[in-house]
Each structure stands twice: as structure tokens, then as C-alpha cells.
Amino acid sequence: MVIIKRGEHGLTMVCEDQSLTLPAFAVPKVLDPTGAGDTFMAAHVAAELDGADRATALEAALRAAARYVSGESPV
């Protein structure tokens, strides 16, 4: 699986049996982007381990990263 994060333009995920493009969540004001990638990956892995399908897991990761950069709790 390859995930290409494109900031405000969302992401594209490609693996051998599926490709998927999702839009980013709107963030009114970015307070601190440092750690957004780590937050994204942690949320993505957690969602997949909880049994979410790929699209749902990636959506959860995008949401967590958006909340994180805006200064909200990512969970």
C-alpha cells in the first residue's frame, strides 16, 4: 500500500487491488502542522486494527490529522 498525502488536497491510496482518492477535511486555521503525519499514521493503523475497511480507516486518519493541526484533540 502506498499513501500519497497531498495536504489540503486530500490523499490518494494505491495498493494491488484498489486505488482511492479522498478529499481533505476543512481546517479553518492551521495552528501547528508538526506531528500531523504521525497523527495520521497512528489513526490509520488504529482504525485498521479495529477492523475498519481501507476507506473508513483513511477517512478517520484524515479527520484526526485535521483536528490535530487545528489544535483540537485528534480523538
Side-chain angles (χ1 to χ4, degrees), residues 4-22:
I4 303 162
K5 297 185 305 170
R6 300 176 303 134
E8 66 187 40
H9 302 291
L11 65 79
T12 298
M13 181 279 304
V14 179
C15 61
E16 65 183 41
D17 66 337
Q18 182 181 22
S19 68
L20 182 64
T21 298
L22 297 173

Side-chain angles (χ1 to χ4, degrees), residues 21-64:
T21 298
L22 297 173
F25 283 83
V27 176
K29 184 176 182 181
V30 174
L31 296 180
D32 186 6
T34 304
D38 293 334
T39 301
F40 174 91
M41 286 307 299
H44 178 247
V45 170
E48 285 212 355
L49 288 174
D50 282 344
D53 62 49
R54 286 188 179 131
T56 303
L58 290 167
E59 214 170 86
L62 283 169
R63 184 179 302 106

